[in-house]
């Protein structure tokens, strides 16, 4: 038997989708623009990184080829060597450009219903919603009630939160309600309980996620978010890759915020590190222990949360380079029959306007020594990833998607 590993590099998109205009994202290109910023010296930072974007191990797997196939160009720092893995790119079919829709589609279940969103006006939350939230949570008020960047609003309102005890509630162009509160003063369990109330109240509004955003510090000068973020998502549609693996009694390991994204439905053993490196460590440990037939899914969120939303091209580039440094370590842990798929769930171009996700294609790199490189090409749904992993594991097909493993093998 064999194993499957899905590694989602959160927000590492590779070029604007054909429908990007519907989302205000024409011209977005996360990887391409980061590479161009590095080549122009705009992503240099003393003590962090400088020069061209250097991702030699991902490039060897075929990332340069995936970028050219997606956008028609090879960005600076990438090349077209004979790929050691299969490569291509995926197009999102789901509505939106959020984390749940991207992950659910990768797992074989695109989102065809429209998400609900909070309006851009301030205050943005319906008065009846706020009144019920306050009453059920025993609160006298909230702060924020607007569209905002998560890091900026904590800087702006963190001290007021400490004075009043009121949680900071905000949203974005995504289908989300985020609630920030001091982990020690407000209390982590109390924040989670508040988010559970908000989750129930958001259900009729079709809001995809409620996110707890704990932070620590005593003033604007030292506020920082902690690793204890928790997502409260609506359940995914039936027929996911996770569900198929659970039906077959396979071992399942979910790493990072994966369990939260799938509302803990069939997500098996859940492990969460403090950062990308911590989550990669969990994945490496799982590769040493998970039995044949097992499924491992990991999300690496630092690209998105620490750098994409903050429009930090230098930090994003350094984060990519740090991940690339660890790719050989990851490949060395794979068994001959293991299938590793490295992809993303959406874009978050740090050179683009605003602070939100961007509607983009995603690269797909698939490595399996026993199978060798195969042609992946353009995939018209992220669901093809889930379908291919299910086929590799010999599981019942996912709800949607077409496996590239069903195609005759060819040199990528």
């Amino acid at each position: 038997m064999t194993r499957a590993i899905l590694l989602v590099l959160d927000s590492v998109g590779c070029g604007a989708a054909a429908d990007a205009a519907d989302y205000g994202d024409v011209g977005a290109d996360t990887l391409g623009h980061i590479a161009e910023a590095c080549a122009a010296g705009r992503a240099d930072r003393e003590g962090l990184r400088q020069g061209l974007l250097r991702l030699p191990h991902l490039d060897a797997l075929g990332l340069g080829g995936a970028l050219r196939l997606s956008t028609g160009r090879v960005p600076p720092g990438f090349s077209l060597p004979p790929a050691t893995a299969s490569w291509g790119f995926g197009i999102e079919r789901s509505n939106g450009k959020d984390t749940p829709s991207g992950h659910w589609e990768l797992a074989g279940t695109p989102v065809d219903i429209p998400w609900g969103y909070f309006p851009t006006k301030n205050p943005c939350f319906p008065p009846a919603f706020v009144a019920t939230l306050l009453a059920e949570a025993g609160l006298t008020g909230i702060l924020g009630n607007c569209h905002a960047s998560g890091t900026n609003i904590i800087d702006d309102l963190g001290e007021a939160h400490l004075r009043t005890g009121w949680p900071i509630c905000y949203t974005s162009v995504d289908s989300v309600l985020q609630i920030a509160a001091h982990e020690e003063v407000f209390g982590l369990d109390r924040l989670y309980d508040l988010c559970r109330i908000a989750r129930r109240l958001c259900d009729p509004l079709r809001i995809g996620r409620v996110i707890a955003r704990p932070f620590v510090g005593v003033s604007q000068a030292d506020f920082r978010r902690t690793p204890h973020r928790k997502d409260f998502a609506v359940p995914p549609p039936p027929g996911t890759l996770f569900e198929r693996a659970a039906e077959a009694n396979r071992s399942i390991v979910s790493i990072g915020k994966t369990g939260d994204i799938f509302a803990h439905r069939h997500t098996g053993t859940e492990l969460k590190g403090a950062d990308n490196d911590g989550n990669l460590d969990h994945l490496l440990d799982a590769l040493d222990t998970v039995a044949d037939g097992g499924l491992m899914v990991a999300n690496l969120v630092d690209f998105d949360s620490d750098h994409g939303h903050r429009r930090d091209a230098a930090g994003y580039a350094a984060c990519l380079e740090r991940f690339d440094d660890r790719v050989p370590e990851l490949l060395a842990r794979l068994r001959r029959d293991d299938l590793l798929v490295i992809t993303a769930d959406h874009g978050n171009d740090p050179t683009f306007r605003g602070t939100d996700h961007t509607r983009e294609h995603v690269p797909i790199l698939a490595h399996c020594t026993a199978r060798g490189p195969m042609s992946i090409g353009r995939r018209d749904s992220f669901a093809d990833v889930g379908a291919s992993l299910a086929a590799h594991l010999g599981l019942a097909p996912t709800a949607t998607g077409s496996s590239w493993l069903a195609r005759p093998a060819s040199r990528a």
Side-chain angles (χ1 to χ4, degrees):
M1 202 177 284
T2 184
R3 305 184 300 178
I5 305 96
L6 174 59
L7 181 54
V8 183
L9 311 185
D10 203 305
S11 85
V12 183
C14 63
D19 61 357
D22 296 340
Y23 299 86
D25 293 333
V26 172
D29 181 1
T30 299
L31 279 169
H33 287 161
I34 291 172
E36 291 169 358
C38 290
R42 299 193 305 273
D44 291 350
R45 185 178 299 166
E46 187 175 355
L48 181 67
R49 68 159 318 280
Q50 60 181 359
L52 288 175
L53 181 64
R54 295 178 177 86
L55 306 177
H57 303 109
L58 291 171
D59 198 31
L61 291 175
L63 184 56
L67 300 184
R68 184 176 70 170
L69 189 62
S70 170
T71 66
R73 68 184 189 281
V74 180
F78 291 93
S79 60
L80 296 172
T84 60
S86 306
W87 52 265
F89 75 94
I91 300 170
E92 186 167 11
R93 198 186 88 184
S94 300
N95 295 306
K97 51 181 179 177
D98 204 353
T99 295
S101 58
H103 279 74
W104 295 353
E105 186 167 337
L106 288 169
T109 51
V111 180
D112 294 323
I113 62 171
W115 292 111
Y117 299 91
F118 293 111
T120 55
K121 65 180 183 180
N122 292 332
C124 65
F125 302 126
F129 172 88
V130 174
T132 305
L133 180 66
L134 295 177
E136 293 197 18
L139 295 166
T140 57
I142 62 171
L143 299 169
N145 202 345
C146 62
H147 282 243
S149 161
T151 51
N152 292 342
I153 201 167
I154 291 172
D155 288 341
D156 294 342
L157 298 178
E159 292 180 4
H161 165 70
L162 292 177
R163 288 195 308 270
T164 64
W166 294 356
I168 304 168
C169 300
Y170 59 101
T171 188
S172 68
V173 297
D174 297 321
S175 182
V176 66
L177 165 63
Q178 306 205 53
I179 305 179
H182 198 281
E183 184 167 304
E184 297 161 353
V185 176
F186 191 87
L188 189 60
D189 289 340
R190 186 184 177 200
L191 174 58
Y192 291 164
D193 287 342
L194 175 61
C195 288
R196 291 185 182 97
I197 295 170
R199 171 68 273 161
R200 176 167 44 80
L201 298 178
C202 282
D203 284 347
L205 304 176
R206 304 191 315 280
I207 301 300
R209 284 184 297 167
V210 175
I211 304 177
R213 290 287 195 178
F215 66 96
V216 293
V218 298
S219 70
Q220 184 179 12
D222 67 349
F223 287 141
R224 60 178 178 83
R225 297 196 295 199
T226 76
H228 298 135
R229 161 189 172 153
K230 189 173 181 64
D231 293 36
F232 298 81
V234 297
T240 67
L241 177 64
F242 284 106
E243 185 176 337
R244 298 299 189 242
E247 289 170 345
N249 295 315
R250 303 296 180 82
S251 297
I252 301 171
V253 178
S254 301
I255 297 169
K257 64 177 185 176
T258 303
D260 290 344
I261 295 167
F262 286 85
H264 313 285
R265 301 294 177 92
H266 311 292
T267 47
T269 300
E270 296 185 4
L271 306 169
K272 187 176 290 187
D275 53 20
N276 278 3
D277 280 325
N279 287 319
L280 275 171
D281 289 341
H282 281 312
L283 178 56
L284 294 174
D285 289 342
L287 285 167
D288 287 340
T289 60
V290 171
D292 284 346
L295 171 67
M296 291 154 271
V297 180
N299 170 280
L300 303 186
V301 73
D302 293 359
F303 307 107
D304 185 59
S305 61
D306 291 356
H307 309 295
H309 287 299
R310 299 183 187 192
R311 293 303 186 248
D312 175 13
Y316 206 130
C319 195
L320 286 166
E321 290 168 341
R322 171 60 182 162
F323 170 71
D324 188 81
D325 287 342
R326 300 199 65 182
V327 167
E329 187 180 1
L330 174 61
L331 297 179
R333 299 288 185 99
L334 298 177
R335 300 173 187 170
R336 174 176 170 79
D337 291 329
D338 288 343
L339 173 60
L340 166 68
V341 175
I342 301 174
T343 186
D345 53 343
H346 50 72
N348 199 346
D349 186 342
T351 73
F352 207 63
R353 59 182 174 272
T355 61
D356 297 307
H357 296 159
T358 42
R359 178 79 168 185
E360 296 187 43
H361 302 153
V362 299
I364 302 173
L365 305 177
H367 179 277
C368 178
T369 301
R371 292 185 180 275
M374 304 176 72
S375 176
I376 293 178
R378 164 187 166 140
R379 311 307 299 189
D380 288 326
S381 171
F382 291 3
D384 291 3
V385 171
S388 300
L389 292 169
H392 180 76
L393 290 174
L395 300 174
T398 51
T400 60
S402 174
S403 170
W404 61 74
L405 300 181
R407 298 167 59 184
S410 61
R411 176 64 64 178

